[in-house]
Amino acid sequence: MSLSTLRRIVAGAFVALIVLGLAWELWLAPLRPGGSALSLKVLPLAAALPWLQRGRVRTYQWWSMLVLGYFAEGLVRATSERGPAVLLASVETALAVLAFTAILLYVRAARRPMHAVPAAPDRAYAAPRSPAAPDR
């Protein structure tokens, strides 16, 4: 898969997590009637989008760890809540797994050297042997 495709997948998963987080905490199944401050959990995702679009590997490396927080929240809330929140938490978990997988594939592809084929060792640069050293 190309880097631009992986970048689009990550950005799409982040946008979906933002939309899901806002809809979940403000309208669909908020912890408190009228919405909750837990909707602020989407701010780091929104702040990361411009950096992810630039394609910096370091940003992807950081988010490979940070997206696991959304995965953990989805797992906890899927097993501890009832009603529509269980489905929403399951969707959050799936989106976090998608983002995590695409991030890892992106970092792996971006860090791979252009010529990943291992070269044969060059014998011309081997350490010269002294003529007195016996062959073993």
Side-chain angles (χ1 to χ4, degrees):
M1 224 180 267
S2 72
L3 290 177
S4 62
T5 302
L6 290 169
R7 195 172 14 213
R8 279 189 231 121
I9 291 171
V10 172
F14 273 46
V15 168
L17 280 169
I18 290 168
V19 170
L20 175 70
L22 289 175
W24 181 0
E25 301 302 339
L26 297 176
W27 301 289
L28 299 175
L31 289 177
R32 292 179 174 63
S36 73
L38 200 54
S39 62
L40 297 175
K41 69 183 177 188
V42 302
L43 288 178
L45 293 168
L49 276 175
W51 294 97
L52 291 171
Q53 287 299 321
R54 291 186 183 131
R56 294 193 55 211
V57 173
R58 181 66 58 156
T59 304
Y60 281 83
Q61 289 172 330
W62 272 101
W63 274 99
S64 71
M65 295 178 288
L66 297 175
V67 78
L68 294 177
Y70 296 91
F71 172 73
E73 183 207 15
L75 283 180
V76 168
R77 292 184 75 179
T79 57
S80 64
E81 293 191 17
R82 295 197 173 140
V86 173
L87 176 63
L88 296 170
S90 299
V91 171
E92 180 181 36
T93 302
L95 287 171
V97 167
L98 174 67
F100 180 74
T101 304
I103 287 169
L104 290 184
L105 291 173
Y106 180 89
V107 170
R108 184 180 192 190
R111 304 284 270 173
R112 185 179 315 137
M114 290 304 236
H115 299 75
V117 179
D122 191 2
R123 302 213 184 264
Y125 294 105
R129 284 197 224 180
S130 81
D135 287 332
R136 293 187 186 193

